[in-house]
Amino acid sequence: LAEGPSDELRARLRDLHEADMGDLLEALPAEARVRLVETLGADFDFTALTELDETDRVGLLSHLPPLMVAEGIRTLESDDAVYILEDLDADDKAAILAHIPAPERVALQRSLDYPEESAGRRMQTDFIAVPPFWTVGRVLDYVQQTDDLPETFYEVFVVDPAYHLMGAVPLDRLLRTKRSVLVTAVKTERVQVVKASEDQEEVARTFERYNLVSAPVVDDAGRLVGVMTIDDVVDVIQEEADEDLRALAGVGSDEELSDTVAYTAKSRLPWLVVNLGTAFLAASIIDLFAVSIEKMVALAVLMPIVASMGGNAGNQTMTVAVRALATRDLGSHNARRIVLREVLVGLANGLALACLLGLIAALWFGNWQLGGVIACALVINMLAAGLFGILIPLTVHYFRQDPAVASGVFVTTVTDTVGFFAFLGLASLWFHLG
Amino acid sequence: LAEGPSDELRARLRDLHEADMGDLLEALPAEARVRLVETLGADFDFTALTELDETDRVGLLSHLPPLMVAEGIRTLESDDAVYILEDLDADDKAAILAHIPAPERVALQRSLDYPEESAGRRMQTDFIAVPPFWTVGRVLDYVQQTDDLPETFYEVFVVDPAYHLMGAVPLDRLLRTKRSVLVTAVKTERVQVVKASEDQEEVARTFERYNLVSAPVVDDAGRLVGVMTIDDVVDVIQEEADEDLRALAGVGSDEELSDTVAYTAKSRLPWLVVNLGTAFLAASIIDLFAVSIEKMVALAVLMPIVASMGGNAGNQTMTVAVRALATRDLGSHNARRIVLREVLVGLANGLALACLLGLIAALWFGNWQLGGVIACALVINMLAAGLFGILIPLTVHYFRQDPAVASGVFVTTVTDTVGFFAFLGLASLWFHLG
């Protein structure tokens, strides 16, 4: 590769699937990536760039001549082109767009003007729209004779002269209908329409709910401006589930494996600092009972168990709640029932585990009363875990914040403080340690 | 509804989208569901059942007459029919299958014979396969004139007389080609093929990677037996991401909001019992230093902070690792680099937080040496969190187990024991408390 690829290697690289080319680029060091793309020249399929991590993609593009990037981007589907352009800084973006001819540039610019993570950014602006008075035969002939069509498409849209959407005809239905039939006669009546300004997460939910493969995108005036296809939506679904998972663990949603140590450390630090704050809150509860602990050191040995069990139970409830809120399975219609269920689950498991914990603690320290005290404390904390594990995400969601991001820290704070307070408080009262 | 729906209501219910009908059924009490389906009779679209939680679906079906269910299922796509049948108990399943005519029954039975969560269960057994010597025109005529076609399809398959797959022609390409061209001339050369025995998670990964909309499913002999479409895959992707999330929190992957308190409590208990075990392990570490704590109660107040910070940092690293392993972004090619990165991130954040924690602890207890000791202990635990947060999921994955399920408990055990041991041990040595 260092001395330029041989013809054979070049041919093999050209035949690589975009996903495999993406993997190859990821595996190479940064300079080699630039060299590889430059040597392949026009043979390089820019679609492969959509498979790279954002950092790697932006880095690679900033080292390529804008003219080359512009030419590469022109060969792409409009949604892939926007995906590649959107993360670049304004100067690089302008330099590349300057090399793209006006009609294409305007279409790209219009997509880029929609907010980040909206349907307008993800949609493809090439689509097939026909007037209502066309017959199926005329549509079929049009499709067969027109060169400048989108690379893949699953339906043909029927529009009025102002491009207002009147309906859609799936390709398979088009194929099954007699040529003489008007398209209006076979168009789907109820089309799930996506607004260009709609958030991609909303769009993904619509696709999932109605098992769509493609959906028309309309602007605020109801005019057809593009089409969203399922392959983009699959990426969104994956991204959104990942975001919830990372948010629950306190990891930034944009963290990538290719990020540097410094960037990763910095992005994870804030969450740890917040946790340090809540840990101090728990410590100050313990400090209230310092005298009790001095008199009975077994309390110090056992107290983390009560807090940790509550933390785990709270986390179980919270995770279920966060995902159910994200998928809209949990809402005002069933919130009461689910809150009650979680409290009862907390109580049931609290009682079961309290017997076990109380017995072991009593045997360990040869003190049945201590076993009773820790059993009571555990039941209290498991109840609190069930109650706050569901109420906190519901409350965060009610205030239109993402429950995955903020709930964890609140739930842990509750289970730690309740756990320490219940156990040390009950023990101080029972054994008159105060 | 109690007195049977009026004609108007019946008409509106019939027009409901399957997803909306599914929601309506979920919202009704169990008996009302049965009554609604029975009153609608042949007007009820069984597709709506695929939108129900498993428990609700099985419950509803067991209360309907097998003949009615059999007739409803016959109207479904084969993949939906299998989805509805697979969870029923053997008797109910047999009773329903007995009412389905032989050819359809055999096809359903063959799908049901594939392992759970395999492509064979999710595939549609209706597809269009044509011999290689047909022209595009003949295929188009065939599609137009045949009634018994799958409800939707995105490609036509080319097969030899023994049904071995030779290639596929996407519908849009079929439309764009002249009628006189042979299908072999326009078929895609490289088709991503799915094996019927393949796990659905593998299939989802192939769809995502190659942006597929549909893929042919072949049996072990390479014969075409069905087709998987993207709408099934979307559900799988969502499910798999959810499974990881739930597994990390110790919640069973099949838990649903409609489950009873008893079932939910029982399914969450095992994880809590395991955590009780690890909590006792941590407690026994503390017990080793009981004498030190009696002499210096500040240790008991501060020790949970060290353990909790390590737990959070370990959880961050582990979550990133588990998802990266699931999406194949993390593998043997980059494991060394990522392990090093995580250790360095742990060290960097450990040092930053140690300064903060040391300072606050020193000021709180008016003891600079205590501040120094807890700072050192935190750095040690954060290093351990980074190292084991990544090594544990990698090891679990290496032994072909799901890292999401088993990693959490190991990581917490490490950060708890290392945290308590480092802090209490260093303090005992430094202050000669032992």
Side-chain angles (χ1 to χ4, degrees):
Chain A
L1 192 63
E3 297 147 31
S6 67
D7 282 355
E8 199 210 81
L9 182 60
R10 178 187 285 267
R12 285 182 57 185
L13 287 171
R14 197 174 41 212
D15 284 349
L16 271 188
H17 188 279
E18 64 211 41
D20 301 315
M21 175 57 100
D23 282 352
L24 175 63
L25 284 174
E26 284 280 10
L28 290 175
E31 323 82 74
R33 282 179 204 148
V34 178
R35 220 158 49 223
L36 177 64
V37 175
E38 284 185 333
T39 344
L40 283 177
D43 282 343
F44 177 73
D45 177 2
F46 270 66
T47 320
L49 292 182
T50 61
E51 309 283 334
L52 291 187
D53 276 359
E54 183 187 324
T55 332
D56 295 335
R57 183 171 56 241
V58 172
L60 173 55
L61 285 172
S62 66
H63 286 92
L64 292 174
L67 178 60
M68 181 186 172
V69 177
E71 277 169 2
I73 278 182
R74 288 186 60 191
T75 65
L76 297 183
E77 305 271 296
S78 62
D79 54 341
D80 288 337
V82 169
Y83 187 79
I84 288 176
L85 283 172
E86 65 181 356
D87 300 321
L88 299 179
D89 57 43
D91 288 349
D92 285 349
K93 211 185 293 178
I96 293 166
L97 283 171
H99 289 288
I100 294 179
E104 293 170 49
R105 189 176 63 232
V106 171
L108 287 177
Q109 195 63 61
R110 197 171 54 175
S111 278
L112 286 167
D113 284 345
Y114 284 108
E116 255 186 85
E117 309 216 320
S118 70
R121 287 279 181 105
R122 294 282 84 82
M123 72 187 179
Q124 206 176 294
T125 50
D126 288 338
F127 51 82
I128 303 178
V130 300
F133 53 81
W134 279 24
T135 61
V136 167
R138 183 153 175 200
V139 175
L140 290 175
D141 292 344
Y142 170 79
V143 169
Q144 206 165 80
Q145 285 147 20
T146 315
D147 282 335
D148 190 24
L149 290 180
E151 207 174 298
T152 42
F153 54 96
Y154 311 105
E155 45 186 0
V156 167
F157 300 105
V158 183
V159 292
D160 72 9
Y163 260 72
H164 290 112
L165 187 69
M166 300 174 69
V169 188
L171 282 203
D172 55 340
R173 189 178 312 173
L174 208 58
L175 281 179
R176 281 190 277 199
T177 310
K178 288 218 170 64
R179 287 181 60 91
S180 57
V181 177
L182 282 178
V183 283
T184 35
V186 288
K187 69 175 200 288
T188 342
E189 290 141 44
R190 289 178 305 175
V191 183
Q192 296 294 335
V193 175
V194 168
K195 284 211 170 144
S197 53
E198 212 171 305
D199 187 81
Q200 57 178 5
E201 197 173 351
E202 266 327 303
V203 178
R205 210 163 291 123
T206 308
F207 266 74
E208 262 186 288
R209 186 173 170 81
Y210 297 105
N211 292 330
L212 305 178
V213 171
S214 80
V217 182
V218 298
D219 64 11
D220 289 336
R223 278 184 305 254
L224 185 65
V225 290
V227 53
M228 284 276 294
T229 48
I230 184 87
D231 52 317
D232 306 310
V233 172
V234 166
D235 296 337
V236 172
I237 291 174
Q238 186 74 271
E239 263 175 47
E240 299 291 341
D242 259 16
E243 269 181 30
D244 278 357
L245 191 88
R246 284 148 177 268
L248 280 170
V251 177
S253 61
D254 58 346
E255 189 185 305
E256 292 169 342
L257 282 187
S258 52
D259 289 339
T260 60
V261 171
Y263 182 85
T264 311
K266 222 176 85 187
S267 84
R268 289 192 200 163
L269 191 57
W271 174 256
L272 294 172
V273 171
V274 171
N275 270 290
L276 187 60
T278 72
F280 265 110
L281 194 66
S284 67
I285 300 282
I286 302 173
D287 195 39
L288 292 177
F289 299 97
V291 178
S292 309
I293 293 173
E294 270 180 327
K295 291 188 186 156
M296 193 183 214
V297 77
L299 299 184
V301 174
L302 292 174
M303 67 183 185
I305 300 180
V306 180
S308 139
M309 296 304 295
N312 280 307
N315 195 26
Q316 288 180 331
T317 299
M318 183 185 72
T319 302
V320 171
V322 163
R323 280 309 284 173
L325 284 169
T327 57
R328 302 280 188 275
D329 286 334
L330 176 58
S332 47
H333 64 290
N334 60 356
R336 279 174 65 130
R337 187 175 67 78
I338 302 297
V339 170
L340 184 67
R341 185 187 80 151
E342 291 301 327
V343 171
L344 291 176
V345 167
L347 183 64
N349 280 343
L351 288 171
L353 291 163
C355 296
L356 195 61
L357 173 60
L359 187 72
I360 302 176
L363 291 174
W364 186 359
F365 292 95
N367 184 337
W368 286 98
Q369 297 186 28
L370 185 60
V373 165
I374 200 170
C376 291
L378 185 65
V379 173
I380 294 173
N381 204 21
M382 293 283 288
L383 262 177
L387 183 63
F388 289 94
I390 179 93
L391 281 188
I392 289 172
L394 278 174
T395 311
V396 173
H397 180 76
Y398 181 80
F399 288 108
R400 300 188 180 281
Q401 301 299 311
D402 183 356
V405 175
S407 299
V409 72
F410 288 119
V411 173
T412 324
T413 308
V414 168
T415 54
D416 274 0
T417 49
V418 170
F420 289 131
F421 195 83
F423 178 53
L424 297 175
L426 281 176
S428 301
L429 284 176
W430 188 261
F431 297 111
H432 307 289
L433 299 171
Chain B
L1 190 64
E3 297 148 30
S6 65
D7 283 354
E8 198 209 84
L9 182 59
R10 178 186 285 269
R12 284 182 58 185
L13 286 171
R14 197 175 40 215
D15 283 349
L16 270 187
H17 188 277
E18 64 211 43
D20 301 317
M21 175 56 99
D23 280 354
L24 175 63
L25 284 173
E26 284 280 10
L28 290 174
E31 323 83 74
R33 282 178 205 148
V34 178
R35 223 161 44 225
L36 177 63
V37 174
E38 284 185 334
T39 344
L40 283 177
D43 281 342
F44 177 71
D45 178 1
F46 270 66
T47 321
L49 292 181
T50 62
E51 310 283 335
L52 290 188
D53 277 359
E54 185 187 323
T55 333
D56 295 334
R57 184 170 55 239
V58 172
L60 173 55
L61 286 172
S62 66
H63 286 91
L64 292 174
L67 178 61
M68 181 188 173
V69 177
E71 276 168 4
I73 277 181
R74 287 186 62 192
T75 64
L76 297 183
E77 306 270 298
S78 62
D79 55 340
D80 288 338
V82 170
Y83 187 80
I84 288 176
L85 283 172
E86 64 180 358
D87 300 320
L88 298 180
D89 58 42
D91 287 349
D92 286 349
K93 212 185 292 178
I96 293 165
L97 283 171
H99 290 288
I100 295 179
E104 291 170 49
R105 189 177 61 234
V106 172
L108 286 178
Q109 195 62 62
R110 197 171 53 177
S111 277
L112 285 167
D113 285 345
Y114 285 107
E116 256 187 81
E117 310 218 318
S118 69
R121 289 277 183 105
R122 296 282 85 83
M123 73 187 179
Q124 206 175 294
T125 51
D126 288 338
F127 50 83
I128 303 177
V130 300
F133 53 83
W134 279 25
T135 61
V136 167
R138 185 154 174 200
V139 175
L140 290 176
D141 292 345
Y142 171 79
V143 169
Q144 206 164 82
Q145 285 147 22
T146 314
D147 281 336
D148 191 24
L149 289 180
E151 206 174 300
T152 42
F153 53 95
Y154 311 106
E155 45 188 0
V156 167
F157 300 105
V158 184
V159 291
D160 73 8
Y163 260 72
H164 290 114
L165 186 69
M166 301 174 69
V169 189
L171 282 202
D172 54 341
R173 190 176 313 170
L174 207 59
L175 280 180
R176 280 190 279 200
T177 311
K178 287 218 171 65
R179 287 180 61 89
S180 58
V181 178
L182 282 178
V183 282
T184 36
V186 288
K187 70 175 198 290
T188 341
E189 292 142 45
R190 290 179 305 175
V191 183
Q192 296 294 334
V193 175
V194 168
K195 284 209 170 145
S197 54
E198 212 171 304
D199 187 82
Q200 57 177 4
E201 196 173 353
E202 268 325 305
V203 178
R205 209 164 291 123
T206 308
F207 267 74
E208 262 187 287
R209 184 172 171 84
Y210 298 106
N211 291 331
L212 304 179
V213 171
S214 81
V217 182
V218 298
D219 65 11
D220 288 336
R223 279 184 306 255
L224 187 63
V225 290
V227 53
M228 284 276 294
T229 48
I230 185 86
D231 52 319
D232 306 309
V233 173
V234 166
D235 295 337
V236 172
I237 291 175
Q238 185 75 270
E239 263 175 45
E240 298 292 340
D242 259 15
E243 270 181 30
D244 278 357
L245 190 90
R246 283 147 176 267
L248 281 170
V251 177
S253 61
D254 58 347
E255 189 186 306
E256 292 168 342
L257 282 188
S258 53
D259 290 339
T260 60
V261 171
Y263 182 86
T264 310
K266 222 177 86 189
S267 84
R268 291 192 197 163
L269 191 58
W271 174 256
L272 293 173
V273 171
V274 171
N275 271 290
L276 186 60
T278 72
F280 266 109
L281 195 67
S284 66
I285 299 283
I286 302 173
D287 195 38
L288 291 178
F289 300 98
V291 179
S292 310
I293 292 173
E294 272 182 325
K295 291 187 185 155
M296 194 182 210
V297 77
L299 298 185
V301 174
L302 292 174
M303 67 185 186
I305 300 180
V306 181
S308 137
M309 295 304 293
N312 280 307
N315 194 26
Q316 288 181 331
T317 299
M318 185 186 70
T319 302
V320 170
V322 163
R323 280 310 284 173
L325 284 169
T327 56
R328 302 280 189 274
D329 285 334
L330 175 60
S332 48
H333 63 289
N334 60 355
R336 279 174 67 130
R337 186 174 69 78
I338 303 297
V339 170
L340 184 67
R341 185 188 79 151
E342 291 301 327
V343 171
L344 291 176
V345 168
L347 183 64
N349 280 343
L351 289 171
L353 292 163
C355 297
L356 196 59
L357 173 59
L359 188 72
I360 302 175
L363 291 174
W364 186 359
F365 292 95
N367 184 338
W368 287 97
Q369 296 184 30
L370 186 60
V373 165
I374 200 170
C376 290
L378 185 66
V379 173
I380 293 172
N381 204 21
M382 293 283 287
L383 262 177
L387 183 63
F388 289 94
I390 179 93
L391 281 188
I392 289 172
L394 277 174
T395 310
V396 174
H397 180 77
Y398 180 81
F399 288 108
R400 300 189 179 282
Q401 301 301 311
D402 183 354
V405 174
S407 299
V409 71
F410 288 118
V411 173
T412 323
T413 309
V414 168
T415 53
D416 274 359
T417 50
V418 170
F420 290 132
F421 195 84
F423 178 53
L424 298 175
L426 281 177
S428 301
L429 283 177
W430 187 261
F431 297 111
H432 306 289
L433 300 171

